CSV table of all heavy atoms in Angstrom, one decimal:
chain,number,residue,atom,x,y,z
A,1,GLY,N,73.1,93.9,74.3
A,1,GLY,CA,73.5,93.6,72.9
A,1,GLY,C,74.9,93.2,72.8
A,1,GLY,O,75.6,93.5,71.8
A,2,ALA,N,75.5,92.6,73.9
A,2,ALA,CA,76.9,92.3,73.9
A,2,ALA,C,77.2,90.8,74.0
A,2,ALA,O,78.2,90.4,74.5
A,2,ALA,CB,77.5,93.0,75.1
A,3,GLY,N,76.2,90.0,73.6
A,3,GLY,CA,76.4,88.5,73.8
A,3,GLY,C,77.4,87.9,72.8
A,3,GLY,O,77.7,86.8,72.9
A,4,GLY,N,77.8,88.7,71.8
A,4,GLY,CA,78.7,88.1,70.8
A,4,GLY,C,80.2,88.3,71.1
A,4,GLY,O,81.0,87.9,70.2
A,5,MET,N,80.6,88.8,72.2
A,5,MET,CA,82.0,88.9,72.5
A,5,MET,C,82.6,87.6,72.8
A,5,MET,O,82.1,86.7,73.5
A,5,MET,CB,82.2,89.8,73.8
A,5,MET,CG,81.9,91.3,73.5
A,5,MET,SD,82.2,92.3,75.0
A,5,MET,CE,84.1,92.3,74.9
A,6,SER,N,83.9,87.4,72.3
A,6,SER,CA,84.6,86.1,72.4
A,6,SER,C,85.3,86.2,73.7
A,6,SER,O,85.5,87.2,74.4
A,6,SER,CB,85.5,85.9,71.3
A,6,SER,OG,86.5,86.9,71.3
A,7,LYS,N,85.8,85.0,74.2
A,7,LYS,CA,86.7,84.9,75.4
A,7,LYS,C,87.9,85.8,75.3
A,7,LYS,O,88.3,86.4,76.2
A,7,LYS,CB,87.0,83.5,75.7
A,7,LYS,CG,85.8,82.6,76.1
A,7,LYS,CD,86.3,81.2,76.6
A,7,LYS,CE,85.1,80.4,77.0
A,7,LYS,NZ,85.5,79.0,77.4
A,8,SER,N,88.5,85.8,74.1
A,8,SER,CA,89.7,86.6,73.9
A,8,SER,C,89.4,88.2,74.0
A,8,SER,O,90.2,88.9,74.6
A,8,SER,CB,90.4,86.3,72.6
A,8,SER,OG,89.5,86.6,71.5
A,9,GLN,N,88.2,88.5,73.5
A,9,GLN,CA,87.8,90.0,73.6
A,9,GLN,C,87.6,90.3,75.1
A,9,GLN,O,88.0,91.4,75.5
A,9,GLN,CB,86.6,90.2,72.7
A,9,GLN,CG,86.8,90.1,71.2
A,9,GLN,CD,85.6,90.2,70.4
A,9,GLN,OE1,84.5,89.6,70.7
A,9,GLN,NE2,85.6,91.1,69.4
A,10,VAL,N,86.9,89.5,75.7
A,10,VAL,CA,86.6,89.7,77.2
A,10,VAL,C,88.0,89.8,78.0
A,10,VAL,O,88.1,90.6,78.8
A,10,VAL,CB,85.7,88.7,77.8
A,10,VAL,CG1,85.6,88.8,79.3
A,10,VAL,CG2,84.4,88.7,77.1
A,11,SER,N,88.9,88.9,77.6
A,11,SER,CA,90.2,88.9,78.3
A,11,SER,C,90.9,90.2,78.1
A,11,SER,O,91.5,90.7,79.0
A,11,SER,CB,91.0,87.7,77.8
A,11,SER,OG,92.3,87.6,78.4
A,12,ARG,N,90.9,90.7,76.9
A,12,ARG,CA,91.6,92.0,76.6
A,12,ARG,C,90.9,93.1,77.4
A,12,ARG,O,91.6,94.0,77.9
A,12,ARG,CB,91.6,92.2,75.1
A,12,ARG,CG,92.6,91.4,74.3
A,12,ARG,CD,92.8,92.0,72.9
A,12,ARG,NE,91.6,92.0,72.1
A,12,ARG,CZ,91.2,91.0,71.4
A,12,ARG,NH1,91.9,89.9,71.3
A,12,ARG,NH2,90.1,91.1,70.7
A,13,LEU,N,89.6,93.1,77.5
A,13,LEU,CA,88.9,94.1,78.2
A,13,LEU,C,89.2,94.1,79.7
A,13,LEU,O,89.5,95.1,80.3
A,13,LEU,CB,87.3,93.9,78.0
A,13,LEU,CG,86.4,94.9,78.8
A,13,LEU,CD1,86.7,96.3,78.4
A,13,LEU,CD2,85.0,94.5,78.6
A,14,CYS,N,89.3,92.9,80.2
A,14,CYS,CA,89.6,92.7,81.7
A,14,CYS,C,91.1,93.2,81.9
A,14,CYS,O,91.4,93.9,82.9
A,14,CYS,CB,89.5,91.3,82.1
A,14,CYS,SG,87.8,90.7,82.2
A,15,MET,N,92.0,92.9,81.0
A,15,MET,CA,93.4,93.3,81.2
A,15,MET,C,93.6,94.8,81.1
A,15,MET,O,94.3,95.4,81.9
A,15,MET,CB,94.3,92.6,80.1
A,15,MET,CG,94.5,91.1,80.3
A,15,MET,SD,95.5,90.4,78.9
A,15,MET,CE,97.0,91.4,79.0
A,16,GLU,N,92.8,95.4,80.3
A,16,GLU,CA,92.9,96.9,80.2
A,16,GLU,C,92.5,97.6,81.5
A,16,GLU,O,93.2,98.5,81.9
A,16,GLU,CB,92.0,97.4,79.0
A,16,GLU,CG,91.8,98.9,79.0
A,16,GLU,CD,90.7,99.3,78.1
A,16,GLU,OE1,90.2,98.5,77.2
A,16,GLU,OE2,90.2,100.4,78.2
A,17,ILE,N,91.4,97.1,82.1
A,17,ILE,CA,90.9,97.6,83.4
A,17,ILE,C,91.9,97.2,84.5
A,17,ILE,O,92.2,98.1,85.3
A,17,ILE,CB,89.5,97.1,83.7
A,17,ILE,CG1,88.6,97.6,82.5
A,17,ILE,CG2,89.0,97.7,85.0
A,17,ILE,CD1,87.3,96.9,82.5
A,18,ASP,N,92.4,96.0,84.5
A,18,ASP,CA,93.2,95.5,85.6
A,18,ASP,C,94.5,96.3,85.7
A,18,ASP,O,95.0,96.6,86.8
A,18,ASP,CB,93.6,94.0,85.4
A,18,ASP,CG,92.4,93.1,85.7
A,18,ASP,OD1,91.4,93.6,86.2
A,18,ASP,OD2,92.4,91.9,85.3
A,19,GLU,N,95.0,96.7,84.5
A,19,GLU,CA,96.3,97.5,84.5
A,19,GLU,C,96.1,98.8,85.3
A,19,GLU,O,96.9,99.2,86.1
A,19,GLU,CB,96.7,97.8,83.1
A,19,GLU,CG,97.3,96.6,82.4
A,19,GLU,CD,97.7,96.9,81.0
A,19,GLU,OE1,97.6,98.1,80.6
A,19,GLU,OE2,98.2,96.0,80.3
A,20,ARG,N,95.0,99.5,85.0
A,20,ARG,CA,94.7,100.8,85.7
A,20,ARG,C,94.4,100.5,87.2
A,20,ARG,O,95.0,101.2,88.0
A,20,ARG,CB,93.5,101.4,85.1
A,20,ARG,CG,93.7,102.1,83.8
A,20,ARG,CD,92.6,103.1,83.4
A,20,ARG,NE,92.7,104.2,84.4
A,20,ARG,CZ,91.6,105.0,84.5
A,20,ARG,NH1,90.5,104.9,83.8
A,20,ARG,NH2,91.8,106.0,85.4
A,21,VAL,N,93.6,99.5,87.5
A,21,VAL,CA,93.3,99.3,88.9
A,21,VAL,C,94.5,98.8,89.7
A,21,VAL,O,94.7,99.3,90.8
A,21,VAL,CB,92.2,98.2,89.0
A,21,VAL,CG1,91.9,97.7,90.4
A,21,VAL,CG2,90.9,98.7,88.4
A,22,ASP,N,95.3,97.9,89.1
A,22,ASP,CA,96.5,97.4,89.8
A,22,ASP,C,97.5,98.6,90.1
A,22,ASP,O,98.1,98.6,91.2
A,22,ASP,CB,97.2,96.3,89.0
A,22,ASP,CG,96.4,95.1,89.0
A,22,ASP,OD1,95.4,94.9,89.8
A,22,ASP,OD2,96.7,94.2,88.1
A,23,ALA,N,97.6,99.5,89.1
A,23,ALA,CA,98.6,100.6,89.3
A,23,ALA,C,98.0,101.5,90.5
A,23,ALA,O,98.9,102.0,91.3
A,23,ALA,CB,98.7,101.4,88.0
A,24,PHE,N,96.8,101.7,90.5
A,24,PHE,CA,96.2,102.5,91.6
A,24,PHE,C,96.3,101.8,93.0
A,24,PHE,O,96.7,102.5,93.9
A,24,PHE,CB,94.7,102.8,91.3
A,24,PHE,CG,93.9,103.3,92.4
A,24,PHE,CD1,94.2,104.6,92.9
A,24,PHE,CD2,92.9,102.6,93.1
A,24,PHE,CE1,93.5,105.2,94.0
A,24,PHE,CE2,92.2,103.1,94.1
A,24,PHE,CZ,92.5,104.4,94.5
A,25,LEU,N,96.1,100.5,93.0
A,25,LEU,CA,96.1,99.8,94.3
A,25,LEU,C,97.5,99.5,94.8
A,25,LEU,O,97.7,99.1,96.0
A,25,LEU,CB,95.2,98.5,94.2
A,25,LEU,CG,93.8,98.7,94.0
A,25,LEU,CD1,93.1,97.4,93.9
A,25,LEU,CD2,93.1,99.6,95.1
A,26,SER,N,98.5,99.7,93.9
A,26,SER,CA,99.9,99.4,94.4
A,26,SER,C,100.7,100.7,94.4
A,26,SER,O,102.0,100.5,94.6
A,26,SER,CB,100.5,98.3,93.4
A,26,SER,OG,100.5,98.9,92.1
A,27,ARG,N,100.1,101.8,94.2
A,27,ARG,CA,100.9,103.1,94.2
A,27,ARG,C,101.6,103.3,95.6
A,27,ARG,O,101.1,102.9,96.6
A,27,ARG,CB,100.0,104.2,93.9
A,27,ARG,CG,99.1,104.7,95.0
A,27,ARG,CD,98.0,105.6,94.5
A,27,ARG,NE,97.3,106.2,95.6
A,27,ARG,CZ,96.3,105.6,96.2
A,27,ARG,NH1,95.9,104.4,95.9
A,27,ARG,NH2,95.6,106.3,97.2
A,28,PRO,N,102.8,103.9,95.6
A,28,PRO,CA,103.5,104.2,96.9
A,28,PRO,C,102.7,105.2,97.6
A,28,PRO,O,102.0,106.1,97.1
A,28,PRO,CB,104.8,104.8,96.4
A,28,PRO,CG,105.0,104.4,95.0
A,28,PRO,CD,103.6,104.3,94.4
A,29,LEU,N,102.7,105.1,99.0
A,29,LEU,CA,102.1,106.1,99.9
A,29,LEU,C,103.2,106.9,100.6
A,29,LEU,O,104.1,106.3,101.2
A,29,LEU,CB,101.2,105.3,100.9
A,29,LEU,CG,100.2,104.3,100.3
A,29,LEU,CD1,99.5,103.5,101.4
A,29,LEU,CD2,99.1,105.2,99.5
A,30,GLU,N,103.0,108.2,100.5
A,30,GLU,CA,104.1,109.0,101.0
A,30,GLU,C,103.5,109.9,102.2
A,30,GLU,O,102.4,110.2,102.2
A,30,GLU,CB,104.7,110.0,99.9
A,30,GLU,CG,105.3,109.2,98.7
A,30,GLU,CD,105.8,110.1,97.6
A,30,GLU,OE1,105.5,111.3,97.7
A,30,GLU,OE2,106.5,109.6,96.7
A,31,GLY,N,104.4,110.3,103.1
A,31,GLY,CA,104.0,111.1,104.2
A,31,GLY,C,103.3,110.3,105.3
A,31,GLY,O,103.3,109.1,105.3
A,32,ALA,N,102.8,111.1,106.3
A,32,ALA,CA,102.2,110.4,107.4
A,32,ALA,C,100.6,110.5,107.2
A,32,ALA,O,100.1,111.4,106.7
A,32,ALA,CB,102.5,111.2,108.7
A,33,TRP,N,100.0,109.4,107.8
A,33,TRP,CA,98.6,109.3,107.6
A,33,TRP,C,98.0,109.0,109.0
A,33,TRP,O,97.8,107.8,109.4
A,33,TRP,CB,98.3,108.1,106.6
A,33,TRP,CG,98.8,108.3,105.3
A,33,TRP,CD1,100.2,108.0,104.9
A,33,TRP,CD2,98.2,108.7,104.1
A,33,TRP,NE1,100.3,108.3,103.6
A,33,TRP,CE2,99.2,108.7,103.0
A,33,TRP,CE3,96.9,109.1,103.8
A,33,TRP,CZ2,98.8,109.1,101.8
A,33,TRP,CZ3,96.6,109.5,102.5
A,33,TRP,CH2,97.5,109.5,101.5
A,34,PRO,N,97.7,110.0,109.8
A,34,PRO,CA,97.3,109.8,111.1
A,34,PRO,C,96.0,109.0,111.3
A,34,PRO,O,95.8,108.4,112.3
A,34,PRO,CB,97.2,111.2,111.7
A,34,PRO,CG,97.0,112.1,110.5
A,34,PRO,CD,97.8,111.4,109.4
A,35,TYR,N,95.0,109.2,110.4
A,35,TYR,CA,93.7,108.6,110.5
A,35,TYR,C,93.5,107.5,109.4
A,35,TYR,O,93.6,107.9,108.2
A,35,TYR,CB,92.6,109.6,110.5
A,35,TYR,CG,92.7,110.6,111.6
A,35,TYR,CD1,92.7,112.0,111.4
A,35,TYR,CD2,92.8,110.2,113.0
A,35,TYR,CE1,92.8,112.9,112.4
A,35,TYR,CE2,92.9,111.2,114.0
A,35,TYR,CZ,92.9,112.5,113.7
A,35,TYR,OH,93.0,113.4,114.7
A,36,LEU,N,93.0,106.3,109.8
A,36,LEU,CA,92.8,105.3,108.9
A,36,LEU,C,91.4,104.7,109.1
A,36,LEU,O,91.1,104.2,110.3
A,36,LEU,CB,93.9,104.2,109.0
A,36,LEU,CG,93.7,102.9,108.1
A,36,LEU,CD1,93.8,103.2,106.7
A,36,LEU,CD2,94.7,101.9,108.5
């Protein structure tokens, strides 16, 4: 039931999620990590 969303609404939804995901994927890594 979500076919009525506009491109601007979708863009805002994507930006909201991207901010959280980008912050997580770019966070500093501290200490030693022996196993990867």
Side-chain angles (χ1 to χ4, degrees):
M5 290 185 71
S6 66
K7 290 185 179 180
S8 61
Q9 288 175 314
V10 173
S11 179
R12 285 195 298 272
L13 176 60
C14 291
M15 287 178 61
E16 172 192 340
I17 298 164
D18 289 347
E19 286 180 3
R20 287 198 63 195
V21 170
D22 290 346
F24 168 66
L25 295 178
S26 61
R27 72 192 190 282
L29 303 174
E30 300 177 353
W33 303 78
Y35 299 127
L36 174 65

